[in-house]
Amino acid sequence: MRHLILFLLLAGFTTTNYSQNEPEDFLSSSFHKERREAVRKMMPPNSVAVFFANAVRNRANDVDYIYHQDPDFYYLSGYKEPNAVLVVFKEMQEGTEGENYNELLYTQKRDPRAEQWTGRRLGAEGAKEKLGFAVAYNNTKFVETPLDFKSFEKVLFFDFKNDYRNSRDTADLFDLIKTFKGETNYPSDYDPVKQRLYSVIKTTSPENSANVAQRIKQYLTRFAHLQSDPLLKEYVTTAHQGIREEVKEKITLQLNANNLDSQLLGQIMNTLRETKTKEELVLLRKAVEISAVGQIEVMKAMHPNMSETEIQGVHEYVYKKYGAEYEGYPSIVGGGNNGCILHYIENNKPKVGDDLVLMDLGAEYHGYTADVTRTIPANGKFTSAQKQIYDLVYEAQEAGIKASVVGATFQAPEQAAREVVNAGLMKLGIIADPSEGRTYFPHGTSHYLGLDVHDKGTYEVFKPNTVITVEPGIYIPEGSKCDKKWWGIAVRIEDDILITSNGPVNLSEMAPRKSDAIEKMMAQPSPLDNFELPSLDPK
Ligand code: GLY
Ligand code: MN
Ligand code: MN
């Protein structure tokens, strides 16, 4: 009897709705479909593109990290579960049962027992109904009746990160990739970096070969294992153009012997994800605005007795209050000297005291992440030294934002901001020559922003509807070779800038950025001023 009840309960669970009271403002299925069309358009004739879902990664023992889908996979499917494969074909295909398709999604199989423990699954039927796939199968089909990848001229894929495990599940990522490797001519020593270099050589003209050989030689200093590759070695060491052409022929033959291409898909996704559609901008804007409100609430709540952890908690509470699922990257809250560590994530100083607090955090809302940094004085007032550095970074950021215009190169904001920082540091006597500027401003000024915090893009000229960060900083760790009065000052100001045909739009402008506007905001009362919790210290 108990078994019958259990069976009925589990059977009932299978038919429950996969979308129980979920938010409704996710990307639409037509967005994902249209993006797959865009990929298809850029694929060569008789090719197939194969995308694998992200791996489930282990945290400790039987606890895994919270699962996060691979952003390309999400962009093209909307599917948020692991152990899945998306296949996009250039041309229409006919399946074994006479079905026609030009894309397939292989999903996790629905399984009442597994779903009771680890959450609802969409399944193949759900993928058709909710995500709009005309044809979707269980992932078991990918393993049991694999596609004939050898019949395509090109198989496009991203090479594997090799951080997945084989579980008891017979169609987990391990099995899916094993099937793919078995069904393609995947060499056991496949090396994506070697592939990239071979592809470069294949497309290099004889006149340019000496130049390219020089660049490859330099590049190889970072990849010691490839320095002994006989073809690469010969290409970079010979002084004769004729020999380089012979090597090129051998490389071309090798590349053509294999239909695998782990390079082209990267270029396609960089191009597509660089510019955002209207639908994407709604979500990205929301993520950024949520993060700006987080900064505002912290400005109001901040006082010297707060810990870095507590400050982080206030930001992240605001994110959750607005329904943001995650942080787009580990939150950075560094008081004083801790701010000099660019990606400081310990966030464990018990009291921030009278220092500046550098706060670099971003809400992730329905896949899109913000990346906003504010640096504020914990006691509400900048000292003279802090203000001088702060205002210099502000000026550099203004110059960087102004340079973020359609048609400018990706380097334009970097050059503009760095020039201001170098000139300012010289004027303050912190450096004697612009070449020393990197000591105190050691990172780049911009990156693309979107589904990834360091989003995909071409890093060429700016196009409309691109979102980048502009984030200059000055970091003066204790012990630096300058006047002691600057020691322990770390300032980064980071905003998320939408590049449009009408100029740059600051999506995070809601959070005060000027030093006097920050002081004014910090003087405002906070709902947390009266939030008292009992002491748990032993009496
Ligand atoms: N939060 C990481 C970055 O600013 O790039
Ligand atoms: Mn950033
Ligand atoms: Mn940041």
Side-chain angles (χ1 to χ4, degrees):
M1 183 63 182
R2 268 182 45 216
H3 283 113
L4 179 65
I5 291 171
L6 184 66
F7 175 78
L8 290 173
L9 278 175
L10 292 176
F13 198 87
T14 317
T15 54
T16 47
N17 227 333
Y18 10 82
S19 58
Q20 290 225 332
N21 299 322
E22 274 199 334
E24 289 180 354
D25 57 339
F26 287 106
L27 293 169
S28 65
S29 58
S30 55
F31 166 85
H32 300 296
K33 186 166 177 51
E34 192 275 323
R35 295 289 81 194
R36 292 194 295 277
E37 285 300 336
V39 168
R40 185 172 297 113
K41 246 193 202 155
M42 296 174 78
M43 289 165 57
N46 194 18
S47 66
V48 58
V50 190
F51 298 85
F52 290 87
N54 244 353
V56 175
R57 297 182 170 106
N58 186 255
R59 185 167 179 266
N61 197 13
D62 51 6
V63 176
D64 291 329
Y65 283 105
I66 293 173
Y67 185 70
H68 193 285
Q69 187 55 279
D70 170 75
D72 284 327
F73 200 98
Y74 184 67
Y75 183 79
L76 296 173
S77 69
Y79 190 68
K80 290 185 272 187
E81 298 171 32
N83 306 317
V85 191
L86 169 68
V87 188
V88 177
F89 303 89
K90 177 73 177 181
E91 291 91 8
M92 266 314 215
Q93 308 291 312
E94 193 177 320
T96 47
E97 282 136 49
E99 69 279 32
N100 291 308
Y101 49 76
N102 61 3
E103 50 199 26
L104 292 173
L105 181 68
Y106 293 90
T107 70
Q108 292 200 113
K109 200 172 173 176
R110 294 214 60 194
D111 175 345
R113 268 174 221 281
E115 288 182 55
Q116 187 179 30
W117 284 90
T118 55
R120 297 183 184 91
R121 294 181 176 187
L122 202 53
E125 287 312 307
K128 289 189 213 167
E129 200 177 305
K130 248 193 105 184
L131 304 178
F133 278 86
V135 185
Y137 298 124
N138 286 331
N139 53 11
T140 45
K141 187 172 165 94
F142 188 84
V143 175
E144 287 158 12
T145 44
L147 295 163
D148 179 14
F149 290 112
K150 291 192 183 105
S151 66
F152 292 90
E153 193 126 330
K154 281 261 169 270
V155 179
L156 315 180
F157 72 111
F158 285 108
D159 201 43
F160 308 106
K161 299 189 188 88
N162 299 325
D163 59 351
Y164 47 87
R165 295 164 294 155
N166 194 8
S167 69
R168 270 180 301 176
D169 183 339
T170 55
D172 60 16
L173 186 63
F174 182 93
D175 303 299
L176 297 170
I177 291 177
K178 191 169 155 204
T179 302
F180 173 81
K181 287 183 172 175
E183 294 301 319
T184 56
N185 294 312
Y186 191 93
S188 57
D189 61 348
Y190 192 85
D191 185 324
V193 179
K194 188 169 98 179
Q195 290 298 117
R196 192 175 330 137
L197 297 177
Y198 276 20
S199 305
V200 169
I201 292 172
K202 184 183 161 185
T203 54
T204 295
S205 66
E207 308 76 62
N208 205 17
S209 63
N211 213 345
V212 168
Q214 231 8 64
R215 289 213 327 261
I216 291 179
K217 193 174 178 180
Q218 271 186 356
Y219 191 75
L220 284 180
T221 56
R222 281 169 37 212
F223 297 96
H225 69 289
L226 283 177
Q227 284 163 10
S228 54
D229 179 78
L231 292 174
L232 288 175
K233 197 170 169 186
E234 199 171 359
Y235 195 81
V236 302
T237 49
T238 182
H240 300 286
Q241 183 175 307
I243 295 181
R244 280 196 295 274
E245 287 310 291
E246 277 171 28
V247 175
K248 176 175 152 179
E249 250 172 61
K250 286 184 200 161
I251 279 178
T252 307
L253 272 176
Q254 267 205 30
L255 284 176
N256 292 349
N258 189 312
N259 65 354
L260 289 173
D261 186 330
S262 59
Q263 306 305 309
L264 182 60
L265 214 44
Q267 292 165 26
I268 293 176
M269 297 313 297
N270 286 349
T271 305
L272 294 179
R273 283 181 50 192
E274 176 174 345
T275 56
K276 271 59 182 178
T277 68
K278 258 192 194 157
E279 220 178 308
E280 289 183 282
L281 284 175
V282 170
L283 298 179
L284 186 46
R285 192 182 277 272
K286 182 141 182 183
V288 175
E289 287 178 354
I290 291 170
S291 311
V293 174
Q295 295 283 0
I296 291 172
E297 289 308 313
V298 168
M299 284 181 195
K300 294 193 278 187
M302 178 75 83
H303 57 80
N305 286 335
M306 279 175 104
S307 71
E308 291 172 347
T309 312
E310 185 183 358
I311 295 164
Q312 173 184 351
V314 177
H315 284 278
E316 293 176 6
Y317 172 70
V318 172
Y319 299 176
K320 299 285 187 248
K321 180 95 176 153
Y322 281 107
E325 294 92 334
Y326 313 110
E327 296 83 52
Y329 52 92
S331 299
I332 298 165
V333 178
N337 210 41
N338 288 342
C340 297
I341 301 167
L342 302 177
H343 286 173
Y344 171 76
I345 56 171
E346 284 89 349
N347 305 347
N348 61 1
K349 194 183 203 177
K351 275 186 189 174
V352 287
D354 288 329
D355 281 331
L356 286 180
V357 185
L358 187 156
M359 308 176 294
D360 179 345
L361 309 91
E364 182 181 309
Y365 187 80
H366 296 4
Y368 288 83
T369 182
D371 185 6
V372 180
T373 308
R374 290 292 180 266
T375 306
I376 67 176
N379 60 16
K381 267 270 162 275
F382 287 94
T383 64
S384 156
Q386 289 169 349
K387 189 168 151 50
Q388 286 179 81
I389 300 295
Y390 187 92
D391 290 348
L392 175 54
V393 176
Y394 175 86
E395 231 189 279
Q397 198 203 21
E398 281 287 283
I401 295 173
K402 270 206 194 88
S404 306
V405 294
V406 173
T409 68
F410 192 87
Q411 290 308 313
E414 157 77 15
Q415 281 159 1
R418 194 165 292 281
E419 215 166 277
V420 174
V421 167
N422 287 348
L425 289 176
M426 299 242 298
K427 203 165 157 202
L428 294 174
I430 295 173
I431 60 172
D433 187 273
S435 63
E436 296 165 41
R438 278 212 168 260
T439 314
Y440 300 108
F441 177 13
H443 58 76
T445 301
S446 297
H447 54 79
Y448 296 107
L449 188 70
L451 288 170
D452 279 299
V453 60
H454 295 167
D455 209 36
K456 292 198 166 182
T458 61
Y459 287 83
E460 291 166 0
V461 293
F462 287 133
K463 302 163 187 83
N465 300 324
T466 300
V467 181
I468 62 160
T469 63
V470 178
E471 50 173 311
I474 296 177
Y475 315 87
I476 313 179
E478 276 160 25
S480 294
K481 282 191 207 136
C482 61
D483 193 317
K484 271 186 177 176
K485 71 175 177 182
W486 308 114
W487 288 8
I489 295 181
V491 175
R492 176 159 68 251
I493 315 176
E494 176 171 28
D495 283 77
D496 301 340
I497 308 298
L498 170 63
I499 295 171
T500 77
S501 311
N502 299 323
V505 177
N506 187 344
L507 301 178
S508 39
E509 70 176 346
M510 213 195 298
R513 200 157 56 89
K514 273 191 141 158
S515 47
D516 55 352
I518 287 173
E519 287 178 350
K520 217 162 143 197
M521 182 59 81
M522 292 186 77
Q524 300 280 317
S526 159
L528 291 172
D529 288 344
N530 301 315
F531 186 68
E532 294 279 347
L533 293 173
S535 163
L536 299 179
D537 293 338
K539 301 242 160 29

